[in-house]
Amino acid sequence: MVIRGGGEPLIYKSLLDILEKHADCYFQLFTNGILLTDEVAMRLRRMGNVTPLISIEGLKEESDARRGKNDVYERTLQGVRVCRKAKLITGAAASICKSNYNDLVNREYIELLAKEGVHYLWYYIYRPVGADPNPDNALDKEQIRSLREFVVEQRKDAPLQIIDVYWDDKGNALCPGAIGMSHHISPSGAVEFCPPLQMAKEYINEEGFNLAEIFEQSDFLAGLRELTSGSSRGCILMEDPEKLVHFLEEQRAGDTTSRGTVLEEYRKMRPVAGHDMSGEEIPEKNTFYKLLKKKYFFGFGAYG
């Protein structure tokens, strides 16, 4: 289970108590790492059911610009070092865009993370959403292709595991939400199609007992799966926001944010390059990872 928590999850004082209570689950904790102290890391070590996934959005200048604060990069690396000291299985994640592509998509960065004690690296593609999006910073088609080529090549002998959720073993693009592999639960309990699509029609109850029922029976989620997979194998939010807005309006979906302006934000979006490379697919080369994706990661009968 992935825990985002809305903003920085470690701000929530009772979070670790909740994770500890559910010892039969394994959690991936998205964090900027700044609040990962020795005390927190050692508690996670004792709990044994959490892997911190630390967000690093660039080197020093880019990290400071993204977070709007100083020394973010060094403070985040300190969080990585605290996890290494506590012998936690630790990951690093990055939302790749034009402004951080050269900093983060290279072998030197991978080796730096491995040296710092990172076990896996998760690459995402930047989506220009929110109240103040920057579509000019979104990757173009060639950069997305280069990112895919880089990931496939590095997976052959990288000193850590490199993870992505955008392509299957054959290099076909896919959307985890479209195949029903995962959806997203907001801090309010709204069951959203995916993290950047912040509109919903259903909410989990106080105990969360209705979650499986919503996943299986929601006409809203089912409609989005059909709409997305029928448009392309990529991300409809990036490739065809107009079609998405039409669906959301038709469904009368509710805004799940405190801003209350999400639908208007989507109306203003312009299409940007997605990760669907039909006819130019780049299959996995690492035998282990190819099998992992085919049989376990995406082995749910996706796209037939």
Side-chain angles (χ1 to χ4, degrees):
M1 182 178 294
V2 174
I3 297 295
R4 296 176 188 271
E8 170 52 48
L10 289 175
I11 291 175
Y12 297 86
K13 301 301 182 183
S14 61
L15 177 64
L16 298 190
D17 294 334
I18 296 171
L19 303 188
E20 190 171 30
K21 181 179 178 180
H22 297 279
D24 58 334
C25 298
Y26 193 74
F27 298 93
Q28 188 178 58
L29 180 68
F30 275 66
T31 172
N32 61 28
I34 292 175
L35 298 180
L36 280 168
T37 62
D38 286 319
E39 181 182 1
V40 170
M42 288 308 298
R43 183 176 179 188
L44 294 177
R45 172 71 176 176
R46 291 192 297 271
M47 289 162 58
N49 65 336
V50 179
T51 171
L53 181 56
I54 299 174
S55 177
I56 303 175
E57 299 299 347
L59 303 183
K60 178 174 173 48
E61 291 185 8
E62 180 70 14
S63 291
D64 288 356
R66 287 279 195 109
R67 304 297 184 190
K69 297 180 180 179
N70 296 324
D71 300 322
V72 172
Y73 178 63
E74 281 301 324
R75 293 167 70 193
T76 297
L77 281 185
Q78 183 57 35
V80 173
R81 292 162 187 154
V82 164
C83 292
R84 179 182 64 191
K85 182 179 177 182
K87 298 182 179 179
L88 294 172
I89 297 175
T90 306
S95 175
I96 303 300
C97 56
K98 288 180 179 176
S99 59
N100 67 11
Y101 189 96
N102 291 335
D103 283 345
L104 304 186
V105 185
N106 58 73
R107 181 66 177 219
E108 291 76 14
Y109 178 66
I110 291 175
E111 292 178 350
L112 181 151
L113 290 181
K115 185 177 179 180
E116 291 287 356
V118 171
H119 299 91
Y120 62 98
L121 171 58
W122 204 316
Y123 281 119
Y124 294 86
I125 296 173
Y126 169 70
R127 284 163 169 73
V129 297
D132 187 25
N134 185 3
D136 293 332
N137 204 22
L139 299 178
D140 58 38
K141 202 72 175 178
E142 184 54 40
Q143 287 174 314
I144 292 176
R145 179 177 180 80
S146 294
L147 175 63
R148 171 62 179 168
E149 289 176 336
F150 173 79
V151 167
V152 167
E153 286 298 320
Q154 293 302 314
R155 261 203 278 260
K156 293 190 296 185
D157 63 354
L160 45 65
Q161 294 295 319
I162 302 177
I163 299 172
D164 76 83
V165 294
Y166 293 122
W167 295 276
D168 66 14
D169 60 298
K170 297 181 178 65
N172 297 311
L174 48 73
C175 163
I179 65 175
M181 187 182 84
S182 69
H183 294 301
H184 183 253
I185 302 171
S186 77
S188 66
V191 182
E192 301 167 342
F193 185 69
C194 63
L197 209 170
Q198 297 176 305
M199 300 192 75
K201 292 188 70 174
E202 292 95 3
Y203 288 76
I204 59 173
N205 55 29
E206 188 171 340
E207 299 81 13
F209 293 156
N210 63 335
L211 180 59
E213 178 183 343
I214 292 172
F215 270 36
E216 294 170 4
Q217 300 181 18
S218 167
D219 291 337
F220 177 70
L221 294 177
L224 274 170
R225 293 183 201 123
E226 181 179 357
L227 182 73
T228 301
S229 58
S231 298
S232 81
R233 297 182 67 99
C235 174
I236 190 170
L237 187 59
M238 300 174 74
E239 297 172 357
D240 199 343
E242 184 177 351
K243 181 183 287 189
L244 175 63
V245 166
H246 178 73
F247 174 85
L248 295 172
E249 290 176 328
E250 192 176 64
Q251 288 283 318
R252 297 183 179 180
D255 190 324
T256 60
T257 71
S258 59
R259 301 191 305 277
T261 57
V262 167
L263 191 58
E264 187 58 34
E265 292 164 12
Y266 293 163
R267 289 193 185 105
K268 295 177 181 177
M269 286 181 66
R270 67 172 193 254
V272 296
H275 56 283
D276 187 3
M277 300 184 293
S278 298
E280 300 180 359
E281 293 84 1
I282 303 172
E284 294 294 335
K285 295 182 180 180
N286 181 297
T287 302
F288 170 76
Y289 202 84
K290 186 173 185 177
L291 181 66
L292 192 67
K293 272 196 169 185
K294 183 177 181 179
K295 296 295 185 181
Y296 300 101
F297 204 55
F298 293 131
F300 304 99
Y303 294 102

